[in-house]
């Protein structure tokens, strides 16, 4: 059975494909766009001419020297920075940051503040976030268009509809509908995302040669988080953000976790868990926030000799390895990115991780599972939010075209 495609739908799809190709390749030629999309040269020429007229794309010189022919730079297409802007918000343990980002993905303005998230009241947390966005909007440089989308990343569980933070270890408050709050305050469409999911989104854009169809991003920090891409799609579950790797049970009724349960992977591999073990404290000891500088010093002591420090990192690797082995028993082995400050001590964790992984059904092909490290998670989270917001602008605002959106509005 042949299914007809409306001309408007085909036009929207083709425009979206061209914009996505330019965003991914940064400054491709029309020939490179044709190779990436499968669209004809005539179609790409017509679409690019329209997008240039609309101020969405610009003509520029190709940045890749391989595209130069006989000493003459080939004309390439780029995203017009002035076409739109978006806001990326990141709420993490004791910190809040906001960035204004232009249509090409460059940061225009940014603010970061320390916040006592564990003790801050619900109303003050919301007020601080709204005030930061307000300052960013008020200080928007001349010529920069108003933000078309806000993307907020938070540690913890978010709902699948990307509207609210359901639970987070960084605050005692739960069920905060941040998207509704931001939309009511600023009239800008907003979304709420899990921070590790945004790391996965960023890695796919940042290193497409390694992170493409199937890969795992594991955050090693105060807690343990995971973002997962399967078959080219971000896994988000059906009711929540999904991928709560840190709260898989490693040892039933074991060490106390920040979530209040016992035996989670995080209760053995999070910063507080490693510190607790290294200091020979009870597994019933309440989790506390450990400074990054203290974790660096602890890793140095572990490298210098054996003892409790070395054992703490070994035990963390074991928990991560068994957890990954259980995961890879359900899905095919895939590349793994170890992200966050904990990646700086991956040399202490990796041997036990690989040993535990090899003892599981999912780790039978453990030699095919590769690890890479990204010690600074914040730029990735911000980039993931930016790409989430910018692709929304691409697909829902610019792909239909102004004429088509006006026509759709007249039919309503």
């Amino acid at each position: 059975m042949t299914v007809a495609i409306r001309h408007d739908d085909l036009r929207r799809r083709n425009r979206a494909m061209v914009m996505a190709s330019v965003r991914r390749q940064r400054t491709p030629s029309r020939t490179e766009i044709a190779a990436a999309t499968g669209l004809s040269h005539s179609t790409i020429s017509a679409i690019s001419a329209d997008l240039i007229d609309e101020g969405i794309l610009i003509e520029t010189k190709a940045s890749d020297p391989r595209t130069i022919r006989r000493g003459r730079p080939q004309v390439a297409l780029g995203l017009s920075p002035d076409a739109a802007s978006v806001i990326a918000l990141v709420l993490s343990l004791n910190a809040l940051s906001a960035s204004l980002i232009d249509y090409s993905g460059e940061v225009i303005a940014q603010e970061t503040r320390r916040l006592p998230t564990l003790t801050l009241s619900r109303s003050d947390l919301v007020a601080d976030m709204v005030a930061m966005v307000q300052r960013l909007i008020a200080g928007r440089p001349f010529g920069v268009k108003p933000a078309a989308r806000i993307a907020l990343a938070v540690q913890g569980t978010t709902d699948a509809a990307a509207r609210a933070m359901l639970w987070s270890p960084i605050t005692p408050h739960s069920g905060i509908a941040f998207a509704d709050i931001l939309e009511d305050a600023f009239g800008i469409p907003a979304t709420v995302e899990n921070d590790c999911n945004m790391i996965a989104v960023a890695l796919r854009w940042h290193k497409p040669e390694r992170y493409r169809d199937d890969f795992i991003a594991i955050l090693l920090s105060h807690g343990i988080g995971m973002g997962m891409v399967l078959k080219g799609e971000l896994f988000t579950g059906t009711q929540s953000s999904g991928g709560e790797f840190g709260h898989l049970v490693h040892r039933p009724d074991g060490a106390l976790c920040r979530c209040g349960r016992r035996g989670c992977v995080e209760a053995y591999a999070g910063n507080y868990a490693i510190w607790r073990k290294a200091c020979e404290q009870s597994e019933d000891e309440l989790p506390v926030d450990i400074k990054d500088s203290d974790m660096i010093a602890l890793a140095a002591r572990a490298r210098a000799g054996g003892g409790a420090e070395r054992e703490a990192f070994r035990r963390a690797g074991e928990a991560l390895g068994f957890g990954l082995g259980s995961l890879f028993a359900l899905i095919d082995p895939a590349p793994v990115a170890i992200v966050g400050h904990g990646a700086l001590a991956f040399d202490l964790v990796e041997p036990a991780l690989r040993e535990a992984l090899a003892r599981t059904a999912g780790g039978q092909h453990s030699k095919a599972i590769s690890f890479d490290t990204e010690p600074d998670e914040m730029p990735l989270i911000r980039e993931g939010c930016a790409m989430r917001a910018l692709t929304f602008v691409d697909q829902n605002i610019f792909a239909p075209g102004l004429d088509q959106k006006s026509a759709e509005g007249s039919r309503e």
Side-chain angles (χ1 to χ4, degrees), residues 312-323:
F313 284 101
R314 187 207 67 79
R315 195 175 72 151
E318 181 181 68
L320 293 168
F322 282 128

Side-chain angles (χ1 to χ4, degrees), residues 260-275:
R261 301 179 181 87
R262 290 184 172 274
C264 299
V265 169
E266 182 182 299
Y268 295 87
N271 282 358
Y272 66 85
I274 295 173
W275 183 268

Side-chain angles (χ1 to χ4, degrees), residues 251 253-257 262 267-268 276-277 280-287 315:
R251 291 182 180 172
D253 301 320
L256 181 63
C257 180
R262 290 184 172 274
Y268 295 87
R276 185 168 58 188
K277 179 64 175 177
E280 300 182 319
Q281 297 174 354
S282 168
E283 291 187 343
D284 297 329
E285 193 79 20
L286 290 174
R315 195 175 72 151

Side-chain angles (χ1 to χ4, degrees), residues 169-297:
I170 68 173
T171 174
H173 314 297
S174 60
I176 305 179
F178 280 120
D180 292 338
I181 291 168
L182 292 168
E183 289 179 1
D184 289 344
F186 303 107
I188 302 171
T191 184
V192 181
E193 309 284 354
N194 171 266
D195 60 344
C196 291
N197 284 348
M198 294 302 94
I199 289 172
V201 169
L203 287 172
R204 196 160 181 238
W205 286 93
H206 197 54
K207 294 184 177 180
E209 69 282 355
R210 174 175 169 81
Y211 304 113
R212 185 177 296 274
D213 296 328
D214 298 279
F215 67 89
I216 308 296
I218 294 180
L219 177 64
L220 302 186
S221 187
H222 308 288
I224 305 296
M226 185 180 76
M228 181 164 53
V229 171
L230 300 176
K231 308 300 182 184
E233 298 292 335
L234 182 69
F235 177 75
T236 58
T238 56
Q239 297 181 9
S240 69
S241 49
E244 290 298 326
F245 176 78
H247 301 291
L248 292 177
V249 174
H250 172 54
R251 291 182 180 172
D253 301 320
L256 181 63
C257 180
R258 282 194 305 173
C259 71
R261 301 179 181 87
R262 290 184 172 274
C264 299
V265 169
E266 182 182 299
Y268 295 87
N271 282 358
Y272 66 85
I274 295 173
W275 183 268
R276 185 168 58 188
K277 179 64 175 177
C279 295
E280 300 182 319
Q281 297 174 354
S282 168
E283 291 187 343
D284 297 329
E285 193 79 20
L286 290 174
V288 295
D289 179 20
I290 307 300
K291 295 179 181 178
D292 289 340
S293 58
D294 289 338
M295 291 302 297
I296 291 174

